[in-house]
Each structure stands twice: as structure tokens, then as C-alpha cells.
């Protein structure tokens, strides 16, 4: 189907506001430029009220890791470790605050959002190890007895998949689900969706490959399973919900991962959101599809 008309307006606005990737500047400068552009974008309704929001740190492999914990107003039914997108380089706890609040309320879940070390200052496997450390911490310190899930969007979807692999390989913690939203999973970037989405849909193939280069400094590591989960043995992983967007270079690798999980005997639900583009979940209150995906995630968690 054609691109959703509201999505077209949002993409055009981002194309005008967001700076082009510039490999000659530092990660810090790139983040500052993107944060300034994000402040000009429409964000829909006011952030969802939740029962409690706490900023703190938890121990990590290279020092304390900043996290933000969201608790629902009522009794929680699940705990979620959340890893934000941004190509391993951009975004933070504030950029994805609206998503975490909305899901905390809709799913009645305790959410711990992770401010992992970002590239290029900290390259693979730093972000994955930080996310694993917080997930392990959450299993013993948040929502005791509740099912524990990992959830991430874009590069965060990569990290969620990597943490699921780490938890299986290391024997802990026990995960009930992995939720991967337009995940970045295959370092080759050679699928049809990488070739077909072109320059008109916000995220470009060249940008995806730039982010891979920023995250994985050693090219020989690009096919390691914790870097590029497409190359992993997928048997024994927790059930997965994988949401993709029709007009997204990452569409095909997400859907192929869902198929590979199914082939490995893992329950996997895949849902392509027609007419949508990469990052559409960010626009809760603007795009009906974002609300639909929020509700699908909540329902998937509740179904167990």
C-alpha cells in the first residue's frame, strides 16, 4: 500500500530538520544536532502519567549504568528491560520516555530503560554487555516473580535480540519474551528492502551501514551473533514479537529473523505495519499505527 499520508508529512518534516550524517564530527556533536532537531518535531499527546518514575544507576561491566524505572499505578504483571534505538550512537532515556510511559501504562509493566554506552566512544560489545547487565539486575531487583521480557526498537531491537542470546548462552536470567520493533539484525545490509526504500522514507541504507561501522569497529566481528543476531543459532530462545514497517530498509531482515526463529522451534509473531516507516512508534498520539503497535505489545506480554 502507499505510504500513510500522515507519515509522509512527518518524514518531510524530519528531512528538513534533521542533519545529514557527518562521519567527520564526533558522536557528541552528532547527538547535539539530532537532539536539537528532535525538539522541533510533533510528539502528539502529553506523556502518559504512570505510577512512579525513578532515575538511578545499576552496576555494569565498566561502571555504573544510568537507568530510568517506570512503575504502573496498579499492580504490575510483567517486567521489561527496554533498550532504545538510535543506531547505537544517538538517543537516550529522554528520547524514548514517551514510548516507555505508554507501554508501562498499557501493559501494566515495570520498565527499566537503559542508558547503555554508545558508539563510537564505546564500541561492540559495550552496549550489549550493559543491556545484559541491567537485565540480569532487573531479574533479581524488579518485580520478583513477574515474567521478564526484553524490548528494543531499531538498534535497541538488536540489543534485545543479543541479550536474549546471552541469557540463553549464560543460563540466566530466564526471559519470557523478546519484543523487537523494526530491529537492526543483519550487518550485511543486502536485502531487497535495503535496495527498494530509496531516499524517500527517512532511513536510508547508507545510514544503516554508517551505524554498523560506528558500532562494530573490527570488521571481523560483524558476523558475531551478539553483534549481528541473524548469524546466531536461534534454538531455545524466548517467544518473540517482531514488528516491521513497510517502508524501512530493515523490514526484510526483521521478517527473516522471525521466520528463522520459527524454523528453530521458537514461537515468533511477525507483523508488518503497512504504510509505515522506520521509527513510527515514536509518534504515539500522531500515528494510529503507533497506538496499534503499543497495544499489540501489551497484548503479547499479557498472553504469555
Amino acid at each position: 500500500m502507499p505510504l500513510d499520508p500522515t507519515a509522509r508529512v512527518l518524514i518531510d518534516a524530519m528531512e528538513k530538520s534533521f542533519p545529514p550524517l557527518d562521519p567527520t564530527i564526533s558522536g557528541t556533536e552528532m547527538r547535539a544536532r539530532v537532539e536539537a532537531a528532535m525538539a522541533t518535531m510533533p510528539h502528539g499527546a502529553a506523556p502518559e502519567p504512570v505510577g512512579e518514575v525513578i532515575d538511578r544507576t545499576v552496576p555494569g561491566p565498566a561502571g555504573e549504568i544510568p537507568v530510568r524505572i517506570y512503575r504502573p499505578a496498579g499492580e504490575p504483571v510483567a517486567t521489561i528491560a527496554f533498550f532504545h534505538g538510535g543506531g547505537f550512537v544517538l538517543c537516550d532515556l529522554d528520547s524514548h520516555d514517551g514510548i516507555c510511559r505508554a507501554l508501562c501504562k498499557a501493559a501494566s509493566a515495570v520498565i527499566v530503560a537503559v542508558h547503555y554506552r554508545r558508539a563510537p566512544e564505546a564500541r561492540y560489545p559495550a552496549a550489549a554487555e550493559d543491556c545484559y547487565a541491567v537485565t540480569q539486575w532487573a531479574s533479581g531487583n524488579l518485580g520478583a516473580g513477574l515474567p521478564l521480557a526484553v524490548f528494543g526498537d531499531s538498534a535497541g531491537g538488536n540489543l534485545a535480540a543479543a541479550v536474549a542470546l546471552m541469557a540463553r548462552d549464560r543460563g540466566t536470567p530466564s526471559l519470557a519474551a523478546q519484543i523487537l520493533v523494526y530491529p537492526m539484525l543483519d550487518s550485511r545490509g543486502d536485502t531487497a528492502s535495503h535496495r527498494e526504500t530509496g531516499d524517500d522514507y527517512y532511513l536510508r541504507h547508507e545510514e544503516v551501514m554508517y551505524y554498523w561501522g560506528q558500532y562494530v569497529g573490527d570488521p571481523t566481528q560483524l558476523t558475531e551473533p551478539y553483534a549481528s543476531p541473524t548469524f546466531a543459532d536461534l534454538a531455545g530462545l524466548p517467544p518473540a514479537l517482531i514488528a516491521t514497517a513497510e517502508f524501512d530498509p530493515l523490514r526484510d531482515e526483521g521478517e527473516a529473523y522471525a521466520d528463522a526463529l520459527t524454523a528453530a522451534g521458537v514461537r515468533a509473531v511477525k507483523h508488518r505495519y503497512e504504510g509505515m516507516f522506520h521509527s513510527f512508534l515514536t509518534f504515539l498520539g500522531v500515528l494510529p499505527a503507533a497506538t496499534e503497535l503499543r497495544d499489540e505489545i501489551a497484548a503479547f506480554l499479557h498472553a504469555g
Side-chain angles (χ1 to χ4, degrees):
M1 65 179 293
L3 185 70
D4 177 272
T6 303
R8 176 78 274 159
V9 172
L10 293 170
I11 291 171
D12 290 346
M14 287 189 287
E15 292 287 353
K16 292 178 181 177
S17 299
F18 279 69
L21 289 178
D22 184 348
T24 68
I25 66 174
S26 68
T28 299
E29 176 61 22
M30 177 60 74
R31 291 176 204 120
R33 293 183 185 184
V34 170
E35 287 166 11
M38 288 177 66
T40 70
M41 295 302 299
H43 292 285
E48 295 274 8
V50 297
E52 184 180 48
V53 179
I54 298 173
D55 287 345
R56 59 162 294 169
T57 63
V58 302
E64 293 293 304
I65 303 169
V67 301
R68 182 169 295 168
I69 300 169
Y70 303 80
R71 294 185 182 275
E75 196 67 24
V77 301
T79 300
I80 301 170
F82 175 76
F83 318 128
H84 65 78
F88 309 104
V89 175
L90 307 172
C91 299
D92 53 26
L93 298 178
D94 291 334
S95 64
H96 286 64
D97 181 73
I99 291 174
C100 291
R101 287 174 175 272
L103 190 58
C104 173
K105 185 174 181 179
S108 298
V110 177
I111 296 179
V112 53
V114 183
H115 188 46
Y116 52 82
R117 287 172 289 164
R118 293 171 295 183
E121 296 89 346
R123 297 187 186 269
Y124 167 82
E129 292 291 354
D130 283 359
C131 291
Y132 174 79
V134 175
T135 305
Q136 179 78 311
W137 175 86
S139 71
N141 293 277
L142 292 178
L146 296 177
L148 174 63
V150 289
F151 168 33
D153 70 307
S154 193
N158 171 294
L159 296 171
V163 169
L165 290 166
M166 290 175 171
R168 180 201 62 188
D169 296 346
R170 299 173 184 180
T172 183
S174 177
L175 296 179
Q178 53 180 321
I179 300 163
L180 316 180
V181 173
Y182 31 78
M184 183 177 170
L185 300 169
D186 188 340
S187 59
R188 293 170 295 187
D190 61 356
T191 62
S193 59
H194 270 270
R195 296 188 296 271
E196 293 168 357
T197 54
D199 294 333
D200 297 326
Y201 306 109
Y202 171 60
L203 182 65
R204 296 166 172 81
H205 162 78
E206 294 78 12
E207 293 170 327
V208 175
M209 303 316 292
Y210 165 85
Y211 290 129
W212 275 115
Q214 294 296 294
Y215 181 46
V216 184
D218 180 354
T220 66
Q221 294 180 306
L222 282 168
T223 57
E224 290 185 8
Y226 296 163
S228 186
T230 289
F231 295 95
D233 172 5
L234 304 182
L237 290 173
L241 170 63
I242 300 180
T244 61
E246 180 181 8
F247 297 101
D248 181 359
L250 305 182
R251 181 195 68 210
D252 291 350
E253 63 202 68
E255 293 174 4
Y257 196 73
D259 292 341
L261 285 167
T262 299
V266 177
R267 182 168 71 88
V269 176
K270 65 177 179 180
H271 182 176
R272 178 188 296 185
Y273 280 78
E274 305 290 347
M276 286 295 107
F277 65 104
H278 190 81
S279 296
F280 75 90
L281 183 58
T282 305
F283 296 98
L284 283 158
V286 178
L287 291 170
T291 301
E292 181 184 349
L293 176 52
R294 178 205 64 189
D295 293 344
E296 182 176 20
I297 294 169
F300 185 80
L301 289 168
H302 291 173

